[in-house]
Amino acid sequence: MALKLNFPGLAPAIYQALASVNSALDASSLGKSLIDLVFLRVSQINGCAFCVDKHAHDLLELGDNFQRLNSLVCWREAPCFSERERAALAWSEAMTGIAGKHVDEELQQELPMHFTEIELVDLAFAIGLMNAWNRVAIACGKSFSMRN
């Protein structure tokens, strides 16, 4: 039997602390759409079905289209992403896989062309936060739920 833990109920203070980081990021200059795009890509990489469903749904509600969401797994080849989005996605992938390979210098030099220093810090927190949510959700058995 798979482990199922009610992490919001068992650790409400920690859960609320992470949720408050989400709220702070929503107020950042990055924009909800870019944050959710990053959240979706990180969740795809980590294999968190619950979070993939949630952030794809959120992006559709924000007016994004199915083609872009469907193309996110191959964003480097898809023409529907801006240079700013591409930089954010590249950094998302690099930070998510940082245990295997550190962020290369070329990417580090490119990022300031698309983001202010504050935005880079906000983006780093967004990527780190989504990795934390993914790991807790997967480890504690958060189940996937299809939306109607």
Side-chain angles (χ1 to χ4, degrees):
M1 181 175 354
L3 183 65
K4 298 279 185 195
L5 297 172
N6 176 7
F7 58 91
L10 293 168
I14 297 169
Y15 180 84
Q16 285 303 318
L18 283 178
S20 71
V21 176
N22 272 88
S23 296
L25 287 168
D26 285 346
S28 79
S29 64
L30 291 172
K32 182 90 171 99
S33 215
L34 182 65
I35 291 169
D36 275 323
L37 190 67
V38 164
F39 283 176
L40 178 55
R41 183 63 190 128
V42 169
S43 297
Q44 288 174 335
I45 294 166
N46 289 329
C48 185
F50 176 84
C51 294
V52 166
D53 179 59
K54 180 194 181 327
H55 297 293
H57 184 75
D58 290 349
L59 282 162
L60 289 171
E61 280 187 349
L62 290 170
D64 216 322
N65 67 59
F66 180 76
Q67 181 184 11
R68 277 175 40 92
L69 300 186
N70 204 36
S71 300
L72 187 56
V73 296
C74 56
W75 64 267
R76 285 180 174 83
E77 292 80 29
C80 54
F81 298 98
S82 71
E83 289 303 311
R84 180 176 165 92
E85 290 169 329
R86 290 175 183 284
L89 293 168
W91 204 24
S92 298
E93 290 182 359
M95 282 185 63
T96 300
I98 207 161
K101 179 184 176 202
H102 286 268
V103 180
D104 65 43
E105 280 188 42
E106 186 177 321
L107 177 56
Q108 289 177 340
Q109 291 172 1
E110 179 188 337
L111 289 166
M113 295 171 25
H114 304 284
F115 301 98
T116 66
E117 287 183 347
I118 292 169
E119 288 174 328
L120 285 171
V121 171
D122 288 348
L123 187 54
F125 274 116
I127 296 163
L129 176 68
M130 194 69 249
N131 274 289
W133 281 125
N134 289 161
R135 283 157 175 73
V136 172
I138 292 167
C140 293
K142 182 70 174 164
S143 62
F144 175 73
S145 62
M146 290 294 292
R147 299 176 191 272
N148 294 332

